[in-house]
């Protein structure tokens, strides 16, 4: 059955939180009201990527892109656009920095997308993730059919090696080499695992891929299993991702019904099935051995390596573990060839990388760029620059384990080796942008608070070291810092780096040490001059009402949660500094 128009409604987590489910329901009701239910189809998709503009509704084949849609806007879109053929201009995206100069609007020509190269995200925002037929229509499962009927397991692994695909979970280990290790192990009982335990602050790449294109992960896992000789796979995903979990369950069920999972797939004699394992949201379970322990029903804590999972993994059997984004590339490499994939990126970092772009940036969302793209290009050409004309100060990649990239290195080409060379790391793909008003001491404290909470407690350097570092930063931001604290922080951080058995502990102090090295003047301000020049740390904030500017409007009284502002309407007001909690709401007033 053919529809003249398709309405794509974003149903990723971000837009769902902004009531996109009600938008979807309202569209279906309004279409019935105008008798259009047989002409127009409403489709729930995954994340479009341009999260700053959500909730998003795209209309095809008209190629109209509506942003910031509310449930109340639906009636007008249906009555004016879908019924009368008149685009609702006030809802259409009109940002000059996002649109090209073409008169006829084309969703494919939005600068945000035009300057990307979407492989892992190729179907996100374009198909219904709960309808396997739409994935198949986009060449889905053709790669699995190809490897099972035309290629040997070794040929599949060789293709991965030639492609140069490296693990996108953070370490960047060559995917084909990892698969080779498992294939070469003796025994018939082997396993594959998809690591979907994405826990970095500000990171949502894997979640969005699973919500928007779950079958790509299933197909990638099946190809991996065939290559290494496994017949059962686990998807380890945190229970905090309910939409992703639901869509994975739907995709697995539909794949089984079509014989794309289960026994004798494509008549090849190859059997493969997938089970979902829910994690409780522990950041440390992103580490391979901790993840395996959790799947086995044990407490999620890292174990020493070797042996590596490829030798002794889940249930003591050979196991290959790849993260979501890595697996999302596999089918495309098989379909288009290793040469196609390796032509993108840099010499040692092939292909593309997905980043969750957040922080002080105009266009927050998901971006996928070729390896080697400069940080400046990502921030200004794709991300639209810094809000309110502020200056770029620094960027942080790699989550709480990542370092700091200062403005002086904004032209750095982003790939594994370049980030490592400047004391940073790729990580899973979180990219947090900071502007000139960011307090780097406060940011270091933020990441350490996360690390302290997420430490599994197994080893003393991590369990105690992170706590001691946080205590020192607490004192510094409270105005109790001393000069010798800098040496103490460096000493503890170095001890953690060289004595912790897992990567979380080894890198838990990286951002603190990096920010201290690059922005020591701010640490000196806090410890020596007892001030926070960015007016972020509340202990150093001096909040008062300028008597020359006060009009007695009492707007400040309305926003004050502590009721510490004194004065009558029409007269100058004052803040009682003793009761003031320094919440910052007074500063948020326009005048």
């Amino acid at each position: 059955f053919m529809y003249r128009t398709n309405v794509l409604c974003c149903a990723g987590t971000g837009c769902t939180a902004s009531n996109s489910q009600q938008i979807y329901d309202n569209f279906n009701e309004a279409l019935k009201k105008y008798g259009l239910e047989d002409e127009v189809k409403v489709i729930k998709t995954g994340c479009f990527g341009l999260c700053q503009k959500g909730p998003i509704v795209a209309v095809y084949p008209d190629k109209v892109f509506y942003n910031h849609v509310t449930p109340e806007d639906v009636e007008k879109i249906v009555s004016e656009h879908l019924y009368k053929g008149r685009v609702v201009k006030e809802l259409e995206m009109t940002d000059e920095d996002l649109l090209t100069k073409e008169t006829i609007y084309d969703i494919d020509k939005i600068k945000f997308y035009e300057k990307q190269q979407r492989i892992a995200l190729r179907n996100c925002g374009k198909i219904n993730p709960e309808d396997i037929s739409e994935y198949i229509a986009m060449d889905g499962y053709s790669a699995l059919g190809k490897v099972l009927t035309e290629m040997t397991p070794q040929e599949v692994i060789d293709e991965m090696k030639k492609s140069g695909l490296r693990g996108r979970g953070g370490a960047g280990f060559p995917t084909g080499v990892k698969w080779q290790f498992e294939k070469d192990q003796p025994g018939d009982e082997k396993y594959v695992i998809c690591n979907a335990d994405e826990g970095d602050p500000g990171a949502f790449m894997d979640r969005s891929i699973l919500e928007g294109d779950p079958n790509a992960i299933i197909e990638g896992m099946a190809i991996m299993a065939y290559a290494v000789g496994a017949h059962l796979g686990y998807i380890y995903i945190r229970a905090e991702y309910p939409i992703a979990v639901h869509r994975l369950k739907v995709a697995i069920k539909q794949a089984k019904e079509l014989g794309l999972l289960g026994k004798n797939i494509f008549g090849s004699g190859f059997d493969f099935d997938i089970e979902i394992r829910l994690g409780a949201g522990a950041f440390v379970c992103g580490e391979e051995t901790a993840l395996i322990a959790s799947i086995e029903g044990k407490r999620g804590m890292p174990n020493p390596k070797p042996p590596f999972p490829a030798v002794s993994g889940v249930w003591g059997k050979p196991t290959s573990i790849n993260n979501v984004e890595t697996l999302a590339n596999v089918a495309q490499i098989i379909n288009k060839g290793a040469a196609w994939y390796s032509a993108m990126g840099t010499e040692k970092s092939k292909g593309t990388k997905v980043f969750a772009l957040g922080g002080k940036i105009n266009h927050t969302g998901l971006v996928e760029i070729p390896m080697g793209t400069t940080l400046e290009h990502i921030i200004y050409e794709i991300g639209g620059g810094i809000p309110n004309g502020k200056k770029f100060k620094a960027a942080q990649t790699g989550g709480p384990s990542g370092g700091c990239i200062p403005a002086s290195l904004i032209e750095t080409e982003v790939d594994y080796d370049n980030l490592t060379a400047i004391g940073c790391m790729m990580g899973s793909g979180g990219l947090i942008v900071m502007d000139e008003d960011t307090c780097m001491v406060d940011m270091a404290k933020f990441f350490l608070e996360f690390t302290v909470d997420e430490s599994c407690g197994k080893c003393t350097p991590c369990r105690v070291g992170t706590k001691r570092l946080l205590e020192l930063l607490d004192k510094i931001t409270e105005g109790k810092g001393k000069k010798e604290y800098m040496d103490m922080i460096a000493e503890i951080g170095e001890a953690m780096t060289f004595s912790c058995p897992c990567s979380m502990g080894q890198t838990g102090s990286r951002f603190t040490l990096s920010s201290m090295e690059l922005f020591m003047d701010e640490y000196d301000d806090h410890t020596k001059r007892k001030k926070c020049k960015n007016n972020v740390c509340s202990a150093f904030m001096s909040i008062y009402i300028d008597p020359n500017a006060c009009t007695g409007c009492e707007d400040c009284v309305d926003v004050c949660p502590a009721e510490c502002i004194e004065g009558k309407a029409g007269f100058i007001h004052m803040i009682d500094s003793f009761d003031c909690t320094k919440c910052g709401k007074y500063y948020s007033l326009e005048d």
Side-chain angles (χ1 to χ4, degrees):
F1 185 80
M2 297 294 292
Y3 293 88
R4 67 168 172 85
T5 304
N6 288 303
V7 176
L8 307 185
C9 181
C10 178
T13 292
C15 287
T16 297
S18 298
N19 226 357
S20 69
Q21 178 61 49
Q22 189 62 53
I23 293 171
Y24 174 82
D25 293 338
N26 286 4
F27 263 111
N28 284 317
E29 291 178 8
L31 291 174
K32 291 179 181 177
K33 176 180 176 181
Y34 287 89
L36 298 174
E37 66 269 27
D38 292 333
E39 300 179 42
V40 180
K41 183 178 181 181
V42 187
I43 301 169
K44 288 196 290 187
T45 73
C47 179
F48 280 77
L50 190 48
C51 302
Q52 186 73 31
K53 297 298 180 180
I56 290 171
V57 171
V59 182
Y60 281 95
D62 304 22
K63 293 185 177 180
V64 173
F65 194 89
Y66 292 120
N67 62 153
H68 297 314
V69 178
T70 67
E72 293 72 32
D73 295 327
V74 172
E75 175 82 17
K76 191 166 189 178
I77 295 174
V78 174
S79 63
E80 289 295 310
H81 184 170
L82 302 177
Y83 187 67
K84 298 177 183 177
R86 299 188 295 215
V87 174
V88 184
K89 293 294 184 180
E90 62 266 31
L91 296 176
E92 189 180 18
M93 190 169 64
T94 57
D95 302 54
E96 292 182 1
D97 57 338
L98 282 172
L99 298 178
T100 58
K101 297 179 181 178
E102 297 181 17
T103 305
I104 300 176
Y105 177 71
D106 187 344
I107 192 172
D108 298 319
K109 295 298 181 181
I110 299 176
K111 292 180 183 179
F112 180 81
Y113 299 111
E114 189 179 41
K115 295 178 181 295
Q116 298 183 44
Q117 193 159 353
R118 293 162 74 87
I119 298 174
L121 299 177
R122 71 187 187 101
N123 289 331
C124 294
K126 293 184 177 181
I127 66 172
N128 179 357
E130 296 185 33
D131 185 349
I132 195 171
S133 65
E134 295 201 12
Y135 178 71
I136 292 173
M138 303 294 284
D139 295 327
Y141 289 104
S142 60
L144 179 59
K146 179 180 180 179
V147 302
L148 293 183
T149 59
E150 300 177 20
M151 302 175 71
T152 66
Q154 188 59 52
E155 286 174 337
V156 175
I157 291 175
D158 290 342
E159 196 73 2
M160 288 300 118
K161 289 179 179 178
K162 292 175 186 176
S163 73
L165 176 65
R166 296 172 65 174
R168 298 301 194 245
F173 193 81
T175 303
V177 175
K178 178 182 284 190
W179 292 8
Q180 187 74 63
F181 285 159
E182 182 177 7
K183 181 182 181 299
D184 291 344
Q185 298 305 309
D188 297 328
E189 189 177 356
K190 299 179 181 180
Y191 297 91
V192 294
I193 295 176
C194 169
N195 183 353
D197 190 65
E198 180 180 53
D200 292 357
F204 51 96
M205 305 77 57
D206 292 352
R207 185 197 72 203
S208 296
I209 293 172
L210 290 170
E211 290 177 352
D213 198 13
N215 280 286
I217 308 309
I218 294 172
E219 184 175 17
M221 287 186 71
I223 293 171
M224 172 169 63
Y226 172 73
V228 303
H231 299 288
L232 179 62
Y234 296 102
I235 298 177
Y236 186 84
I237 180 171
R238 50 184 52 211
E240 298 164 335
Y241 287 177
I243 296 176
V245 171
H246 168 72
R247 290 180 184 164
L248 276 171
K249 289 179 178 178
V250 171
I252 290 171
K253 180 176 181 292
Q254 292 178 350
K256 288 181 178 179
E257 290 171 350
L258 293 181
L260 299 170
L261 285 178
K263 301 289 185 181
N264 194 26
I265 302 173
F266 283 108
S268 64
F270 173 65
D271 304 335
F272 180 64
D273 207 346
I274 292 176
E275 296 180 6
I276 296 175
R277 289 289 186 270
L278 299 183
F283 176 68
V284 74
C285 284
E287 196 275 338
E288 290 184 339
T289 59
L291 182 154
I292 289 171
S294 183
I295 288 179
E296 294 177 339
K298 304 171 186 175
R299 183 176 179 183
M301 302 173 78
N303 292 304
K305 293 184 284 189
F308 292 94
V311 176
S312 178
V314 69
W315 317 121
K317 303 297 181 181
T319 305
S320 286
I321 306 175
N322 286 121
N323 89 318
V324 171
E325 185 186 341
T326 309
L327 293 168
N329 284 282
V330 170
Q332 290 299 292
I333 292 172
I334 295 297
N335 279 334
K336 298 182 179 181
W340 163 79
Y341 190 81
S342 62
M344 295 177 281
T346 61
E347 182 181 356
K348 295 182 179 179
S349 299
K350 303 297 185 181
T352 62
K353 181 72 189 78
V354 179
F355 287 98
L357 193 57
K360 302 296 182 67
I361 191 81
N362 277 315
H363 303 145
T364 58
L366 284 180
V367 302
E368 185 172 3
I369 47 92
M371 291 282 195
T373 302
T374 65
L375 181 63
E376 183 177 30
H377 183 90
I378 297 171
I379 293 173
Y380 287 98
E381 295 298 318
I382 299 176
I386 314 299
N388 304 316
K390 297 286 186 178
K391 294 180 181 178
F392 169 73
K393 185 173 188 175
Q396 194 266 354
T397 64
S401 301
C404 191
I405 308 174
S408 60
L409 297 177
I410 194 172
E411 295 183 4
T412 297
E413 294 183 351
V414 177
D415 67 11
Y416 290 101
D417 298 320
N418 287 335
L419 291 183
T420 300
I422 61 174
C424 205
M425 66 182 293
M426 181 75 72
S428 60
L431 200 165
I432 299 176
V433 179
M434 292 162 267
D435 69 5
E436 58 186 285
D437 294 333
T438 303
C439 171
M440 301 307 292
V441 184
D442 182 68
M443 282 297 294
K445 179 180 171 182
F446 165 76
F447 284 115
L448 264 176
E449 287 173 339
F450 178 87
T451 306
V452 168
D453 287 341
E454 294 295 338
S455 174
C456 74
K458 184 176 183 178
C459 71
T460 302
C462 179
R463 182 183 68 251
V464 178
T466 55
K467 185 67 174 177
R468 295 292 87 83
L469 286 177
L470 181 58
E471 288 174 353
L472 291 171
L473 287 183
D474 276 336
K475 290 180 180 179
I476 291 172
T477 57
E478 291 169 1
K480 303 173 184 177
K482 300 178 181 179
K483 181 180 179 181
E484 54 264 33
Y485 285 1
M486 302 301 103
D487 293 333
M488 294 170 66
I489 290 173
E491 184 178 353
I492 295 171
E494 184 178 359
M496 289 173 58
T497 301
F498 290 104
S499 60
C500 287
C502 88
S503 58
M504 178 180 166
Q506 293 164 7
T507 59
S509 62
R510 179 175 286 175
F511 184 85
T512 301
L513 298 178
S514 177
S515 64
M516 196 167 71
E517 177 183 353
L518 296 168
F519 298 95
M520 180 56 81
D521 60 318
E522 294 193 26
Y523 283 83
D524 285 341
D525 278 342
H526 285 68
T527 54
K528 297 178 182 178
R529 292 175 278 277
K530 305 299 180 185
K531 70 174 185 177
C532 175
K533 67 179 181 181
N534 300 107
N535 210 27
V536 172
C537 300
S538 60
F540 304 106
M541 292 171 66
S542 177
I543 301 179
Y544 63 93
I545 295 174
D546 185 351
N548 296 317
C550 181
T551 63
C553 67
E554 295 205 308
D555 283 351
C556 57
V557 176
D558 293 337
V559 300
C560 178
E563 299 181 355
C564 64
I565 299 178
E566 301 173 351
K568 296 181 179 180
F571 293 87
I572 294 174
H573 286 58
M574 297 180 63
I575 296 177
D576 185 336
S577 59
F578 182 79
D579 291 331
C580 179
T581 61
K582 300 180 180 180
C583 66
K585 291 185 180 293
Y586 171 65
Y587 283 127
S588 68
L589 295 174
E590 301 234 341
D591 298 309

